[in-house]
Amino acid sequence: MKLDVEQMEDNQNRNNKNQPRHSKDVEQTELLGSFLITLSDKALEMEMQRGNGLERLAAHLLTCITILSAVYLTPASSLFEYSYKSQSIPSLSPTPLAWLYFLSLAPLLIALLITLSSLYKRKVLVFSSPRMQQDYVSEIKQRLESGFTGDTFNRFSMACAYSSALEDHYCGVHAKNDKMWSRLKIAMFLIMTSYLMQASDGRLHLAFAY
């Protein structure tokens, strides 16, 4: 009888030693689950903010294209009129001036089309409908109530499922933003090329003096 009591005390002491370890494991699992959810949300949030920034950049480029087009075209009639009056001067003849305008406006037109195409809303995978989400959670609840123990359901496993659900949407937004940035870089290069074409020729400044 004395041995049984001592054995019971040993088992109780062993259980008391294992209980803090189990509690610590549960706490760490909960912490990792919260951390994973935070990282997943932050990654998607930053990518969405990146997309918003690119859309603002596209709007600024469209404004820049509009302003440059107005600056180029406003003195056009005066420039061509002056060129026809000065046909005796080869450098002021209408043909070189027409080529200058073509080489200046063509990049702007291409930049306009590229910038507008970058704003095209491509298809992006999103979450399933609320009804499908309800069915998914209800299925998990039924598995738990039926005593199914094949899977472990805790905050970390739920966080992994949540992160996996965000993956397709994140990849779609990331790919869309990469394509948008590539096109906007081309548009910026074309705008700069157009500006340099006009800045390299003195006829535009001559128009304001005229």
Side-chain angles (χ1 to χ4, degrees):
M1 186 71 176
K2 183 178 180 180
L3 292 177
D4 292 339
V5 173
E6 291 179 351
Q7 185 175 3
M8 291 176 60
E9 291 179 350
D10 291 340
N11 292 334
Q12 184 175 2
N13 292 333
R14 191 178 299 109
N15 291 333
N16 291 336
K17 291 180 180 179
N18 292 333
Q19 185 174 1
R21 181 178 179 181
H22 175 71
S23 177
K24 184 177 181 181
D25 291 342
V26 172
E27 182 180 353
Q28 290 178 346
T29 301
E30 295 289 323
L31 182 61
L32 287 174
S34 300
F35 183 58
L36 178 58
I37 291 176
T38 302
L39 287 179
S40 301
D41 287 339
K42 183 60 66 174
L44 182 59
E45 178 186 352
M46 293 179 67
E47 199 62 38
M48 296 295 290
Q49 290 178 352
R50 180 187 173 212
N52 293 335
L54 291 174
E55 289 181 358
R56 289 193 296 270
L57 175 59
H60 293 326
L61 290 180
L62 291 175
T63 302
C64 182
I65 292 172
T66 302
I67 294 174
L68 287 179
S69 299
V71 170
Y72 295 169
L73 295 176
T74 298
S77 60
S78 300
L79 279 172
F80 279 101
E81 182 180 355
Y82 185 80
S83 297
Y84 279 111
K85 292 178 180 180
S86 307
Q87 292 188 14
S88 58
I89 306 175
S91 60
L92 295 178
S93 61
T95 302
L97 183 60
W99 274 107
L100 173 65
Y101 263 92
F102 173 77
L103 294 176
S104 299
L105 291 175
L108 281 185
L109 177 60
I110 299 174
L112 174 64
L113 296 177
I114 292 177
T115 303
L116 290 175
S117 67
S118 70
L119 294 173
Y120 175 72
K121 299 295 184 181
R122 298 173 181 81
K123 290 184 178 180
V124 176
L125 294 177
V126 296
F127 275 0
S128 302
S129 65
R131 181 59 182 271
M132 295 182 66
Q133 300 292 347
Q134 178 184 347
D135 294 341
Y136 172 70
V137 176
S138 298
E139 180 182 353
I140 296 177
K141 182 175 180 294
Q142 292 175 0
R143 292 167 67 183
L144 289 174
E145 291 176 348
S146 63
F148 180 77
T149 58
D151 295 329
T152 301
F153 293 98
N154 51 41
R155 187 172 179 82
F156 181 73
S157 63
M158 294 296 99
C160 290
Y162 176 74
S163 179
S164 298
L166 288 179
E167 179 66 17
D168 290 337
H169 181 62
Y170 172 85
C171 291
V173 174
H174 181 74
K176 179 179 74 71
N177 289 340
D178 283 345
K179 291 180 179 179
M180 188 175 183
W181 173 234
S182 299
R183 296 186 181 187
L184 291 179
K185 286 191 295 185
I186 297 174
M188 287 188 290
F189 173 77
L190 291 171
I191 293 173
M192 185 60 65
T193 300
S194 174
Y195 174 77
L196 292 176
M197 288 296 300
Q198 281 286 355
S200 63
D201 197 288
R203 293 189 186 89
L204 187 60
H205 302 285
L206 179 61
F208 291 103
Y210 178 73

